[in-house]
Amino acid sequence: MINQTSEANAGALHSLERLDRAAYLDEGYFGRWLNGGELLLTDSAILAPGAVEARARNLRGEHVQEPPVPEPARPDYAPTAEGPLRTLDVPPAFAVGERVRAKNVSVPGHTRLPGYVRGHIGVVDLIQPAHVLPDTNAHFLGENPQHVYSVRFDSRELWGADAEAFAVTLEMYESYLEATS
């Protein structure tokens, strides 16, 4: 099943995806999360750009002026329930055992659709409970709850006939999938 903690952190993961190369690669694991957290705080106008650096310089005794505290940008958005699980009134579009193709789409912003499965065919192994779609939720565009499927892909389908034979199973939202002919 999809990890509920990771779903709740979709915005934090999206902030890491948007860091520039130096902030992502040069400052290590904890620096990456610190930079991502700072990006989230400036995006939501909790902190002004440059506020963290100014505070750090002041802690070093440099006595610099901090930028003014901005008016927080709070989207008019509230979750419909606690956690990521939702109940849907429509049945799942796909059935266990059905062959499906991961859509070959380029999505702006955050997505949980891995690039290496796009355009490839797998088989639905399990239908999971419906979840909030992190792709839209991370951008405050709505929960867009969807059925989630455990889809098994053959390694040779993904990486060619010379790949070692094994299965890769991914949890995939309904909007990531399409029926095969």
Side-chain angles (χ1 to χ4, degrees):
M1 183 177 297
I2 291 178
N3 181 314
Q4 293 184 16
T5 302
S6 68
E7 292 307 313
N9 292 325
L13 293 173
H14 180 53
S15 71
L16 295 180
E17 294 165 351
R18 294 175 23 233
L19 293 175
D20 64 51
R21 184 187 187 291
Y24 189 87
L25 295 175
D26 297 345
E27 297 186 30
Y29 176 83
F30 294 107
R32 186 176 305 136
W33 281 100
L34 181 64
N35 289 322
E38 182 179 347
L39 184 59
L40 284 175
L41 291 171
T42 55
D43 281 354
S44 60
I46 302 298
L47 289 176
V52 171
E53 183 174 338
R55 289 178 190 182
R57 290 177 65 191
N58 283 329
L59 288 171
R60 291 190 299 263
E62 293 183 36
H63 306 292
V64 299
Q65 184 173 350
E66 291 186 23
V69 177
E71 183 67 33
R74 294 193 174 112
D76 186 21
Y77 172 80
T80 62
E82 190 172 320
L85 295 176
R86 298 294 182 267
T87 301
L88 295 178
D89 293 332
V90 296
F94 306 106
V96 171
E98 187 172 350
R99 290 170 42 92
V100 292
R101 178 179 291 109
K103 291 180 180 176
N104 191 7
V105 294
S106 179
V107 187
H110 177 75
T111 185
R112 294 285 175 91
L113 175 58
Y116 66 90
V117 300
R118 294 176 190 177
H120 292 285
I121 295 173
V123 177
V124 174
D125 277 347
L126 182 68
I127 301 172
Q128 302 278 3
H131 277 71
V132 169
L133 180 67
D135 301 34
T136 56
N137 200 43
H139 297 284
F140 302 105
L141 299 174
E143 293 182 345
N144 193 13
Q146 298 183 13
H147 294 287
V148 178
Y149 304 86
S150 293
V151 180
R152 179 177 26 87
F153 294 88
D154 184 282
S155 60
R156 291 164 296 206
E157 165 71 17
L158 298 174
W159 295 293
D162 293 335
E164 181 181 339
F166 61 91
V168 176
T169 302
L170 299 168
E171 273 62 50
M172 302 190 71
Y173 290 84
E174 195 164 90
S175 63
Y176 296 170
L177 301 171
E178 59 190 9
T180 60
S181 309

